[in-house]
Amino acid sequence: MTKLRAGIVGAGIAGASCAGTLAAAGWEVDVFDKARGAGGRLSTRRFEQGWATLGTPFVSAKRDPFRSQLRDWVRQGWVSAVRGNIWQGRATISWAEAQLQNHYCPTIEPSQLVRKLLGSARLHTGHRVAALKPRTLVLDDGRELGDFDCVICSVPAPQAIPMLDALPLLRERLAEVRYRPIWSFLMRWDGGPAADVIKFDDHLLNLAVRQPSGGPGLWSVYATHEFSETYLEASEMEASNRAASALMGLLGLPWPVEIEASHLWRYARPENPVGGFWVGDRENRVALIGDGIAGVGVERAWESGLRLAQAILQSKEELAL
């Protein structure tokens, strides 16, 4: 019996969730991503001393089925509940006092969580998809990969729209989706509050999270949307230096902060997602998933991919896109 085939654009958590679910049901699944590895906002930076993340610092679940997924990751030892102290304003409070008990942090490289979700799906990194057509993916070198039973796109709306010229109904659904950016930085310093998380009450910086790997004194620092919009077109050096200066002032550090890495998440937070979990063009066998459809957060992106895969698998006679 010939296996059904799916081609998926984007190896973030939405694409991986969908790919792994279809692959576990016997589908032949190929996932294409322009980056060097899987992960999206759960990607990893490696150092001689270990790893750190510039992406989503925590994972949380508000409801099933993602709660079940998190429990499984806990049993596997891949994530653990966060129980450190938070420095907020000028006080140190416990994680429980901040009512953030349901947050987890990876104990393995965050990108490995996404790789595990992929299951037996084939991952093709360094492959930039230029266009989607009915049952076909077109790479930026002109190659057409066709004969898929369905094509699924999980990238942010502004990246998906240029791919959808041949699919105007889907293109129109994404036209109004807007995102807010976030600059994030890996910085190393000594001193400061005796806490694992710092919540800034400031218009420039939002959050700093101590990294469990990567050597002593390494933190992920996340700017506010306002800072990130102001420095949207700035160089990494300019944005990093401005953030480091703000950090030193807020924490009263008398010595320079070492900047290890930085990244602009241009499409960090969808302001007006389409709604639902997925959008499909049934006739052309193409569907869209991800936070631009389902809303903010790892949980929503994961469930977006899962729900589409379940809808496809539950349709007996034809693909229920």
Side-chain angles (χ1 to χ4, degrees):
M1 180 178 177
T2 303
K3 285 189 174 183
L4 294 169
R5 299 181 63 232
I8 299 179
V9 184
I13 196 158
S17 173
C18 187
T21 304
L22 291 175
W27 279 56
E28 188 176 295
V29 184
D30 290 277
V31 182
F32 301 87
D33 199 288
K34 64 182 180 181
R36 291 177 293 179
R41 269 165 273 175
L42 288 175
S43 57
T44 305
R45 291 290 181 106
R46 294 185 179 91
F47 298 85
E48 288 186 6
Q49 306 101 313
W51 55 267
T53 180
L54 282 164
T56 303
F58 308 119
V59 181
S60 63
K62 295 181 179 178
R63 62 192 188 112
D64 281 327
F66 194 55
R67 281 179 181 165
S68 297
Q69 178 68 79
L70 275 180
R71 284 194 292 267
D72 180 62
W73 286 349
V74 170
R75 285 193 296 269
Q76 298 285 349
W78 299 339
V79 301
S80 63
V82 180
R83 295 189 177 90
N85 289 327
I86 301 176
W87 191 75
Q88 184 169 305
R90 299 197 176 277
T92 300
I93 61 177
S94 71
W95 200 254
E97 287 176 295
Q99 297 183 334
L100 295 172
Q101 301 97 315
N102 197 31
H103 284 57
Y104 295 79
C105 61
T107 56
I108 60 174
E109 294 184 18
S111 58
Q112 289 300 313
L113 294 175
V114 178
R115 291 298 297 259
K116 292 178 184 301
L117 282 176
L118 284 167
S120 61
R122 293 189 294 257
L123 175 63
H124 308 271
T125 58
H127 285 65
R128 186 182 294 271
V129 175
L132 276 64
K133 295 181 179 180
R135 302 177 62 161
T136 302
L137 297 175
V138 183
L139 302 183
D140 63 352
D141 61 6
R143 284 183 293 160
E144 292 197 3
L145 308 176
D147 200 29
F148 291 110
D149 292 286
C150 66
V151 168
I152 299 162
C153 184
S154 68
V155 303
Q159 295 176 341
I161 286 173
M163 303 180 192
L164 298 174
D165 286 345
L167 300 158
L169 293 178
L170 293 180
R171 183 185 176 100
E172 183 179 347
R173 295 296 300 274
L174 296 182
E176 301 302 319
V177 180
R178 299 290 181 267
Y179 290 77
R180 300 195 75 182
I182 292 177
W183 270 105
S184 62
F185 312 93
L186 288 177
M187 298 183 181
R188 197 181 300 274
W189 69 83
D190 295 322
D196 300 293
V197 177
I198 301 171
K199 182 68 176 74
F200 297 104
D201 181 17
D202 185 69
H203 69 287
L204 297 178
L205 300 182
N206 178 43
L207 191 70
V209 180
R210 189 188 299 273
Q211 295 298 289
S213 184
L218 184 64
W219 294 73
S220 292
V221 179
Y222 300 89
T224 62
H225 292 303
E226 292 76 15
F227 174 100
S228 303
E229 287 162 351
T230 299
Y231 292 92
L232 187 63
E233 304 303 333
S235 67
E236 286 192 16
M237 179 177 293
E238 181 183 1
S240 298
N241 287 338
R242 183 68 187 93
S245 176
L247 180 83
M248 292 173 64
L250 288 167
L251 297 184
L253 300 176
W255 44 82
V257 170
E258 183 180 346
I259 302 168
E260 300 271 347
S262 59
H263 185 79
L264 172 63
W265 299 100
R266 190 174 288 268
Y267 309 117
R269 182 184 180 90
E271 288 291 282
N272 54 335
V274 173
F277 289 107
W278 51 271
V279 174
D281 182 334
R282 186 171 185 169
E283 179 180 355
N284 291 310
R285 299 290 196 268
V286 180
L288 309 175
I289 56 175
D291 60 6
I293 308 296
V296 178
V298 169
E299 179 176 16
R300 296 293 292 180
W302 176 89
E303 192 168 356
S304 175
L306 174 70
R307 295 292 188 185
L308 174 62
Q310 289 175 336
I312 292 172
L313 296 174
Q314 288 168 5
S315 58
K316 303 296 184 183
E317 301 296 329
E318 55 183 325
L319 299 179
L321 296 180

